[in-house]
Amino acid sequence: MELRHLKHFLVVADLKHFHRAALELNLAQPSLSRSIQKMEDLLGAKLLERTSRSVTLTPFGEVVVEHGSRIIRDVDFLKREIKAIQGLETGELIVGASAIPLNSIVGPSIGQFVNSFPNVNVELKVGNWLSLYQQLCKAEVSLFIAETKATELDHREDIEVIPLPSFQAIFCCRADHPLTQQDSLYLDTLKQYPIAIPSALPKPLYDQFGDLFSKYRNDFSGLVKFEQFQAVKESLSECDLVALAPDVSVKKEIEAGSLVALSLADMPDIQASFSIVHLKNRRLTPAATAFINFINPE
């Protein structure tokens, strides 16, 4: 079987139409039909059910889609890795990150990396830890940075985790917020105001705050869930919103005096444990290794 046969089949399986697939592949439709027939002959199984208007996958076809997609991804990764081994003069680096480390950790490191290796193509992808893990397994990202302790990513046997310095989780608000005028603050005190929390806040952490984030409590005052903290951070100065975030994400604003970290007597001691994550069975490219050294020089 040739890779082109597999690629032809995957396009037909995706579009479910021979004519559209032929246009997509820039092939004559009879040539595409012969390519699919060749695959079926080699595998000894019927992969598609053809009708006048569309095609559907047989059970054999579904198996070929599952394994064939992985084969094509691995071949593409192989080509990229070979090019990368030839040196950092060319290459590609695809970095994933969850929302908080994207701005506070990845951003500054990307700038340093681009200055040192201007010819390497860099792509950033943002998502929650689960989507990033799935992209890593599919070779759609070279590595990613996310919370690994509360999410239990560090328990997975197929990945390598490089811990980064942990950060303290805090509640923050604008400097002239009514809460800053109170002498003693507790979690219950926050219930008077709308609260912003990460949308992917792991349940073990969520539960440490009791019913603070529950929309079913009688004194509910609003809850904002965010994937991108930047928009929430900018809105803090415009309203009475209180946000839960790692201290590193608001360090500059606190130092400048525009935001303050609230000191709560019963605040749970929560550390945000961000780590660099990559697959154990996939060798890091020179570009990925160099980027890791910028984030974690130790």
Side-chain angles (χ1 to χ4, degrees):
M1 186 189 305
E2 297 181 26
L3 282 176
R4 62 187 177 91
H5 296 145
L6 190 53
K7 290 179 179 179
H8 294 169
F9 171 75
L10 292 174
V11 173
V12 174
D14 180 50
L15 297 178
K16 296 180 174 57
H17 197 281
F18 265 89
H19 179 64
R20 288 199 294 268
L23 292 175
E24 176 77 16
L25 293 164
N26 195 27
L27 278 177
Q29 190 168 328
S31 298
L32 178 58
S33 296
R34 286 194 296 270
S35 181
I36 302 301
Q37 185 63 55
K38 179 70 172 177
M39 273 201 66
E40 292 180 323
D41 292 343
L42 289 169
L43 293 173
K46 189 175 184 179
L47 306 180
L48 299 169
E49 293 288 354
R50 300 163 174 82
T51 68
S52 59
R53 294 187 176 181
S54 65
V55 296
T56 57
L57 291 170
T58 67
F60 299 109
E62 292 175 356
V63 171
V64 173
V65 167
E66 179 184 352
H67 291 277
S69 299
R70 184 165 59 247
I71 290 169
I72 296 300
R73 286 196 301 267
D74 286 345
V75 170
D76 289 341
F77 184 82
L78 171 62
K79 292 177 180 177
R80 293 198 302 269
E81 188 169 3
I82 291 296
K83 289 181 180 179
I85 291 172
Q86 294 171 347
L88 280 168
E89 293 303 314
T90 60
E92 180 181 64
L93 176 67
I94 308 177
V95 178
S98 54
I100 297 297
L102 178 70
N103 294 318
S104 56
I105 299 175
V106 177
S109 300
I110 285 290
Q112 298 170 16
F113 181 86
V114 170
N115 283 338
S116 299
F117 307 107
N119 294 322
V120 175
N121 294 324
V122 179
E123 182 177 351
L124 296 179
K125 293 188 176 184
V126 62
N128 60 48
W129 68 269
L130 181 56
S131 68
L132 292 171
Y133 170 72
Q134 292 169 340
Q135 290 178 69
L136 183 69
C137 293
K138 296 177 182 178
E140 294 174 356
V141 296
S142 310
L143 54 90
F144 70 86
I145 295 89
E147 217 289 338
T148 52
K149 187 174 182 181
T151 57
E152 298 187 345
L153 265 173
D154 54 358
H155 291 172
R156 294 180 180 263
E157 296 182 354
D158 59 338
I159 61 174
E160 192 77 36
V161 172
I162 304 174
L164 298 172
S166 59
F167 303 101
Q168 188 71 40
I170 61 169
F171 281 103
C172 59
C173 63
R174 58 186 170 88
D176 57 348
H177 194 286
L179 286 171
T180 62
Q181 308 304 315
Q182 299 189 32
D183 295 330
S184 300
L185 295 177
Y186 298 87
L187 290 175
D188 280 350
T189 316
L190 304 185
K191 293 181 178 180
Q192 307 171 49
Y193 301 97
I195 300 173
I197 62 172
S199 57
L201 187 68
K203 191 176 186 303
L205 300 186
Y206 192 98
D207 292 342
Q208 292 189 49
F209 294 93
D211 66 346
L212 181 61
F213 308 138
S214 173
K215 64 181 180 181
Y216 300 108
R217 57 180 170 82
N218 295 330
D219 51 353
F220 179 72
S221 299
L223 184 69
V224 176
K225 293 186 177 181
F226 60 83
E227 290 188 359
Q228 294 280 2
F229 181 57
Q230 187 63 34
V232 170
K233 182 164 64 173
E234 292 179 359
S235 70
L236 290 176
S237 61
E238 307 296 329
C239 61
D240 287 341
L241 189 66
V242 178
L244 176 68
D247 55 5
V248 66
S249 62
V250 289
K251 181 180 179 181
K252 292 181 180 179
E253 289 76 14
I254 290 176
E255 291 176 348
S258 59
L259 297 179
V260 297
L262 297 173
S263 179
L264 305 176
D266 56 349
M267 176 70 179
D269 183 18
I270 295 176
Q271 301 287 325
S273 302
F274 297 116
S275 300
I276 303 165
V277 181
H278 64 89
L279 286 179
K280 283 183 178 178
N281 62 356
R282 184 174 295 148
R283 187 158 53 90
L284 287 169
T285 65
T289 301
F291 182 70
I292 288 174
N293 290 334
F294 279 107
I295 296 181
N296 189 40
E298 296 181 0

